[in-house]
Amino acid sequence: MRSLKIATATALTSAALVFAAPMASASDTQCDPATAAAMEAESAYEAARSDYQKQIDAGGHPGKAEQDNVDQLKQKADAAASQAQRVCGDTVADPTAPASKKPSGAMHTGTGTASGDPASTPALAAAGGLAVAAAAGFVLRRRAHSRQH
């Protein structure tokens, strides 16, 4: 009887961990510095691009070094924005892009998949927990049956 309790507790603990893992999000302590770095890199790029454009508008001919500097700052800004997106998840968007909303909810027509639907995660986790519990029950039943013979 004790081993059945242990198996049940193990299955319930596993299910709880499966439920808790997707719901965890990046903490503000990681997200805030990444967002600040992305904003700073974007600001540096915009300043360099503006100076470059002013030089052209004034009739100047910027050299390769100036163009390379603007290109490198653009790459750094893109990398910092990408890093902030990875750390913070969907809460951070490109500061220069208009706010957009990803489609969400159930499909009303056609066929599709539930693989991208976060609402399906708890159902899959529950099914996995039940599978673990069933396997543990089978093993315990088999072990008890083998002791009798």
Side-chain angles (χ1 to χ4, degrees):
M1 189 59 143
R2 179 180 287 178
S3 58
L4 181 60
K5 289 180 182 178
I6 292 172
T8 304
T10 302
L12 291 175
T13 304
S14 299
L17 288 174
V18 169
F19 282 124
M23 294 178 191
S25 63
S27 67
D28 289 338
T29 59
Q30 295 172 341
C31 186
D32 290 345
T35 303
M39 297 300 274
E40 184 179 327
E42 183 68 25
S43 177
Y45 164 69
E46 287 298 327
R49 189 184 60 78
S50 177
D51 289 343
Y52 185 81
Q53 190 61 43
K54 285 179 188 174
Q55 190 176 5
I56 292 172
D57 292 345
H61 300 284
K64 177 117 173 83
E66 288 88 359
Q67 179 63 43
D68 288 346
N69 182 45
V70 172
D71 291 344
Q72 287 176 356
L73 289 172
K74 175 65 173 160
Q75 289 175 355
K76 286 180 183 179
D78 290 346
S82 178
Q83 177 64 24
Q85 183 73 28
R86 279 192 296 274
V87 169
C88 300
D90 291 336
T91 60
V92 175
D94 180 7
T96 60
S100 64
K101 186 174 185 290
K102 290 182 182 178
S104 64
M107 289 183 59
H108 298 288
T109 60
T111 60
T113 179
S115 64
D117 185 13
S120 66
T121 302
L124 293 174
L130 289 174
V132 168
F138 177 74
V139 168
L140 291 173
R141 185 174 172 205
R142 188 170 177 184
R143 185 180 295 169
H145 182 52
S146 67
R147 286 183 186 158
Q148 290 176 355
H149 290 101

